[in-house]
Amino acid sequence: MAKTCAVAALIATIFCFSSLLNLAQATSETFFVEGKVYCDTCRVQFETKISQPLADSKVRLECRKREGGELTYSFDGTTNSTGTYRLPVDGDHEEEICEVVALKSSRADCSDLMAGYERARITLTKKNGIASIARYPNPLGFMIKEALPNCLEIIAEMGLIPLDL
Ligand SMILES: *[C@@H]1O[C@H](CO)[C@@H](O)[C@H](O)[C@H]1NC(C)=O
C-alpha cells in the first residue's frame, strides 16, 4: 500500500511539474505574429503574382496604450528568404493598439513607401474570441523604383483593367 502511494505521489509530482512547464512556455509567448514583406514590382500598391518577397527587411511590432499612446511592447525582427517574419508577443494587449511596421527595405531599388502599406494593425488579445495564438497581419510592402515591363499584362489578367486598353 505504502509503495502504491509513493508511486502515485511520484506520478502526481511529474504531472504537476510538466504542467507547470507548459504554463511557463505559454506565458513567454502569448501570441506570435507572422507576416510578410513584399516588393511591389508594379507600383500598384497591392500584391500581384510578380511581387517579390523582401528578405532581410527589418520589421517592428509595437503596442501602445489606446489612451495616451504610451509604448507597452516592442519587438524587432527580420524577414527570412521567403520575406516572412515571426515575432513573439508577451502578454495580452486588449486595451492597446498594436501594429507591425516595415522599418526598412533590404533593397535600395525597392524602398519607396506605399502610403499606409508599410504598417498593419493586429489584434493581440484572446478576449475577442480568437483562440489561436497565431496572428497574421496584412502583408507589408515597398514599391520598386520602376515597374517591370509585364505589369500591364499582369494587372489586366487580374481583371482590374480592361484587356483592350
Ligand atoms: C521563414 O520564416 C517562417 C516563419 O518563421 C517559417 O515558417 C519559414 O519556414 C521560414 N522559411 C525559411 C526558408 O527559413
Side-chain angles (χ1 to χ4, degrees):
M1 183 63 192
K3 208 170 180 182
T4 317
C5 278
V7 172
L10 188 66
I11 292 171
T13 310
I14 291 168
F15 267 107
C16 188
F17 269 110
S18 66
S19 60
L20 268 181
L21 219 61
N22 285 341
L23 198 68
Q25 274 165 2
T27 47
S28 63
E29 187 176 287
T30 316
F31 303 99
F32 68 85
V33 174
E34 190 175 308
K36 60 180 178 173
V37 184
Y38 67 95
C39 172
D40 166 18
T41 54
C42 289
R43 293 186 64 87
V44 286
Q45 311 210 10
F46 52 81
E47 242 185 318
T48 68
K49 70 177 191 191
I50 58 167
S51 290
Q52 295 160 358
L54 273 177
D56 299 318
S57 293
K58 294 198 181 347
V59 294
R60 176 174 293 162
L61 171 68
E62 267 185 3
C63 294
R64 287 174 187 281
K65 284 213 172 118
R66 225 169 257 286
E67 283 184 32
E70 183 198 332
L71 187 68
T72 53
Y73 189 77
S74 177
F75 202 97
D76 285 9
T78 308
T79 56
N80 66 15
S81 59
T82 66
T84 311
Y85 62 84
R86 187 186 192 279
L87 306 170
V89 185
D90 195 13
D92 200 279
H93 297 268
E94 188 188 15
E95 294 300 327
E96 292 152 51
I97 293 172
C98 299
E99 55 182 16
V100 282
V101 187
L103 293 180
K104 194 175 183 306
S105 166
S106 54
R107 277 173 54 179
D109 71 323
C110 193
S111 55
D112 283 3
L113 285 177
M114 304 189 221
Y117 291 100
E118 80 291 353
R119 55 181 66 233
R121 281 217 187 166
I122 183 89
T123 305
L124 295 175
T125 178
K126 286 188 175 149
K127 291 169 191 157
N128 64 357
I130 309 174
S132 165
I133 71 157
R135 298 297 154 102
Y136 303 101
N138 290 331
L140 308 174
F142 292 95
M143 288 189 292
I144 203 165
K145 301 269 179 229
E146 232 170 285
L148 298 182
N150 56 337
C151 279
L152 198 58
E153 197 183 314
I154 298 290
I155 307 303
E157 225 174 69
M158 293 173 85
L160 294 173
I161 51 170
L163 262 175
D164 54 351
L165 196 75

